[in-house]
Amino acid sequence: MSSEQQNTAGTELGVFLRARRARVSPEEAGLTAGSGLRRTPGLRREELATLAGISIDYYVRLERGKETRPSASVVDSLARALLLEDDEHEHLRSLAARAARSAPEPPTAPSRTVRPGVKLLLESLRPQPAHVVSRTNDLLAANPGGLRLLPGIEDWPARERNIARYVFLHPASRDLFHDWNTQVRGCVARLRALAGTDPDAPDLTRLAGELLLKSPEFARLWERYDVKGHSYGRKAFHHPEVGDLTLGYQSMELEGTSGHRMVTYYAEPGTADHDAMVLLDLLGQEQPAKRTPPRDDRSAAVEDDPASPLS
């Protein structure tokens, strides 16, 4: 690994350590805060080093990307001192492992292809809204309700349909989600976790670069470095076509893909939420097909819409 590549990996480890150190107060860590002025929030470097049982010099080298081979016991000690939750602890392990690799792994271009069997599953789940997303939340395929659940996203070109882009940049998203702040935190946390372990991925760098430029909220959350996403729970919507509804959701990894997930929403039969969900599916089914430019048989430049209900 070149020094530049190794520094990149070590720097990402240092960025995470600094971000989490700033989030832990001396009192939370069991220390008594001194009376002197603290120039930065959270723990000082020497306090964290003491809590983790390592030398201050070694910790400074870790944070600056100069030391890239912390042992498993050091990583675990730092996780305990930083009060990391399980997802965050695992992320720290992944960062340390990547920094210690002796040879770089070239970033791979993730496939956007959704298998025909998965598309059949999306249809079979109706009237439950469901869609398939990539590791960076590109909307790759959807059944009628799964597309209609995000009003206005169907107006974007297929290649631009991304749920993180939607929640931060589409004007309809702030009114759609009952708790918009929770929704955006989850989006950023998932992308941040990917950035720690695969920071050079072209799909991620394009999306994060765009959102950092266009959304101050995204930039603020990106700086926080939360890495805990949510794979199930409940979401409340103020939908412009079917009104208020609260749906459970479950995200499922699709094995044999480059990080694709199927996200399915559901409601108890006989409830108002279920009735609204059925109406959403009907509205999605009735949506007229979008016009597409005529295909020139001599060229395959015009691409089929991978996120249309029947694609």
Side-chain angles (χ1 to χ4, degrees), residues 176-209:
L176 175 65
F177 298 102
H178 176 71
D179 190 347
W180 183 84
N181 289 323
T182 297
Q183 177 71 20
V184 297
R185 283 198 301 270
C187 279
V188 177
R190 185 175 292 278
L191 293 176
R192 210 39 166 128
L194 177 59
T197 56
D198 199 1
D200 300 321
D203 53 334
L204 174 65
T205 54
R206 283 193 300 268
L207 177 63

Side-chain angles (χ1 to χ4, degrees), residues 20-21 56 105 127 190 203 285 288 295 311:
R20 307 316 294 180
R21 177 167 63 84
I56 177 61
E105 294 181 2
R190 185 175 292 278
D203 53 334
Q285 186 178 16
R295 184 185 294 272
S311 67

Side-chain angles (χ1 to χ4, degrees), residues 10 14 55-68:
S55 72
I56 177 61
D57 178 68
Y58 184 81
Y59 177 75
V60 169
R61 289 176 59 79
L62 273 176
E63 203 169 270
R64 291 178 177 173
K66 305 288 187 182
E67 173 58 55
T68 58

Side-chain angles (χ1 to χ4, degrees), residues 133-304:
V133 296
S134 72
R135 62 181 187 172
T136 55
N137 279 330
D138 288 331
L139 186 61
L140 303 179
N143 63 18
L147 189 62
R148 200 68 169 224
L149 187 62
L150 303 174
I153 200 171
E154 73 278 2
D155 297 328
W156 286 356
R159 285 276 177 177
E160 294 181 13
R161 295 177 191 172
N162 176 282
I163 294 177
R165 180 181 288 115
Y166 178 85
V167 298
F168 281 103
L169 302 183
H170 199 289
S173 71
R174 289 181 184 266
D175 294 328
L176 175 65
F177 298 102
H178 176 71
D179 190 347
W180 183 84
N181 289 323
T182 297
Q183 177 71 20
V184 297
R185 283 198 301 270
C187 279
V188 177
R190 185 175 292 278
L191 293 176
R192 210 39 166 128
L194 177 59
T197 56
D198 199 1
D200 300 321
D203 53 334
L204 174 65
T205 54
R206 283 193 300 268
L207 177 63
E210 176 190 358
L211 295 179
L212 284 168
L213 286 174
K214 295 180 179 179
S215 172
E217 294 95 341
F218 180 87
R220 177 179 59 81
L221 291 171
W222 189 259
E223 184 68 21
R224 280 176 58 89
Y225 213 135
D226 289 328
V227 295
K228 184 177 182 180
H230 299 283
S231 57
Y232 65 92
R234 297 180 67 78
K235 290 183 184 179
F237 301 86
H238 300 302
H239 200 278
E241 295 178 301
V242 301
D244 291 350
L245 71 163
T246 299
L247 302 177
Y249 71 92
Q250 177 68 55
S251 172
M252 296 161 279
E253 298 284 344
L254 296 177
E255 294 188 6
T257 67
S258 52
H260 294 181
R261 292 176 291 119
M262 181 183 290
V263 183
T264 304
Y265 294 85
Y266 57 89
E268 289 288 338
T271 64
D273 291 327
H274 190 272
D275 292 342
M277 186 180 71
V278 172
L279 177 57
L280 192 68
D281 177 71
L282 292 173
L283 290 171
Q285 186 178 16
E286 294 169 359
Q287 180 178 338
K290 287 186 174 294
R291 286 185 177 182
T292 56
R295 184 185 294 272
D296 184 346
D297 289 338
R298 294 167 299 175
S299 171
V302 179
E303 181 179 52
D304 290 331

